[in-house]
Amino acid sequence: MPLTPSPRNKTGARAASRRRFARSVPAVCTAALAALLAGCSVTPEPLAKDHLRLRVDRNLAGLTEGQEPVGGEITLYEAMARALKYNLDYKVAMMEEAVRGQELDRTRFDMLPQLVANAGYNSRSNDSGASSRSLLSGRQSLEPSTSVERQTTAADLSLSWDVLDFGVSYARAKQAADQRLISLESRRKVAARMVEDVRTAYWRAVSAERLIAKLTQLSGDVTSALGDSEEIARRRTASPLAALTYQRDLIDVERQIQALQRELVIAKAQLAALMNLTPGTEFRLSLPERTALSTDFCLSGEAMIRTALENRSELRDIAYRLRINEQDGTVALLRNLPSLRAFIGANYDSNSYLYNNNWSGVGVRASWNVLSLFRYPADKRVIQAQTEWLGERERALTMAVMTQVHVSRAQFAFARQSLVTASRYTQVQTGINDQIRSAFKAKQEGRQRLIREEMNGLLAEVRYDLAYADMQNAFANVYSSIGLDSFTPEVSSRDSVRDLASGLQRLWQSRQDVTGVTSAAACTASS
């Protein structure tokens, strides 16, 4: 007959086992903690020089990859087309819009039910058993037994859908849609600014093409005249004061020439950067005739202001942010409602003690975080404050936009007046130059006067070209201030440079560009 251990012996054995376990826990925990800290330690690793060189090579190769080569003379509209197609800042804005679109597509999955598959394996060194003790008598009422195998596997597949999560996900999806529209407005703003910059840089670069050779020739004449003056001073054939005054005038002319050369040469480099051409790339510009523009716009001042308040990207941005803020209020409200989750699933367990190893389950579960009710008033106050802040920003932007429209119209009118004045000045200076050249040939005027008037003539041409560039920029600024796009939907940056330039030319000519003619068709196309 087997011996049955007494309860006292059992109690002592269990106590000794607990003491051994308690002594082993600190050592095990210390070893685990040391291993964890060793695995989590990170040593800073700077980029290797070879890696940096590869990155530089890759970035340089990708700057102009896939661009159409420059061939022939570049017109204003080809410069615009190249900027809209290849400018990296504009590409960044386009990529941001694409990212927002991908984020919007991703939010659609958040509204779908959850289909979760789980699988697991469990193993232990001994049997999982238990006995029962009577609460009335305190005696053992059931001998130790087990209902679980030492090694088991389990798996389940459940489909669940939370009504509250669906509502929150739907509101977040609408916010993502508005975020995409905000990125579209940002792209419109970048395009408008870039077209203005291209106009200004193009006409200044055209001035450089026209005048840089003349400035270089005049600079050579000034240098030669300075040498002659110094020689005269050494021979003392003229008074020292007269020679020094002559040299001062020549140096002043040379300084003005250098300032004009610097301003004009930089314009071509700026235009190349806007077209995303590698610095130092040689290209020729078309030298169009400088045609006057009409001051008669299709829209009145009041109509322009209303058009600007409807179309400006900054105001649309605020409108979309207000809608996003409204959805934040919806989300805050939904989070205070009870959650209702319905689920259905299939389950499997390899435990041989189970009567049914496979079963299906279905149910509904409701939960409610009552403490969230105390947070809702604070959330509501934050949302209300944001709404008031955005509303105040919208009013401030409204006043700013109205002012910009008014100022842009005034600047364009002033630019046209400045162009007329520069044209008259050029005509007068041309007549003076003709008279001075004739007098110099007849030896009635000295070389100093001739060089000075030649410089004044070139300066008049440069000022006329810069005034024309300012007028072109002011013209584009008027349309930019009222929020009209720099290109229409049928004009896409995916088109070739030639097709894109043709579309831009049709668009801007319909806005009275170059032709200077106001017509009903132009008004319709512009509005």
Side-chain angles (χ1 to χ4, degrees), residues 62-136:
L63 285 177
T64 58
E65 185 179 4
Q67 291 187 188
E68 296 182 32
V70 176
E73 296 179 342
I74 295 180
T75 64
L76 170 63
Y77 301 105
E78 182 178 346
M80 288 183 182
R82 287 186 174 274
L84 290 174
K85 192 173 179 65
Y86 301 127
N87 186 271
L88 297 180
D89 290 337
Y90 186 63
K91 282 186 176 181
V92 170
M94 292 180 62
M95 292 301 296
E96 181 183 359
E97 183 185 357
V99 169
R100 299 306 180 198
Q102 296 296 329
E103 291 177 349
L104 175 59
D105 293 338
R106 184 182 62 184
T107 58
R108 296 190 177 101
F109 292 96
D110 295 335
M111 293 183 285
L112 297 177
Q114 293 183 1
L115 182 63
V116 180
N118 294 307
Y121 172 78
N122 186 40
S123 177
R124 56 179 297 150
S125 60
N126 52 20
D127 291 318
S128 173
S131 62
S132 299
R133 181 174 62 85
S134 174
L135 296 177
L136 299 178

Side-chain angles (χ1 to χ4, degrees), residues 16 23 59 61 69 107 140 142 163 252 294 343 408 429 451 460 500:
R23 287 194 299 269
N59 290 335
T107 58
Q140 181 176 333
L142 181 67
V163 178
D252 183 60
S294 173
F343 62 90
S408 66
Q429 185 62 44
I451 291 177
L500 184 55

Side-chain angles (χ1 to χ4, degrees), residues 440-453:
F440 178 74
K441 291 179 180 179
K443 297 183 179 180
Q444 297 176 357
E445 290 288 349
R447 191 177 184 185
Q448 177 185 6
R449 179 73 183 276
L450 176 64
I451 291 177
R452 166 65 67 181
E453 295 304 332

Side-chain angles (χ1 to χ4, degrees), residues 163-182:
V163 178
L164 186 59
D165 286 346
F166 171 78
V168 172
S169 299
Y170 180 74
R172 294 302 188 197
K174 295 185 70 174
Q175 288 180 321
D178 286 335
Q179 287 288 354
R180 183 180 182 182
L181 293 174
I182 289 174

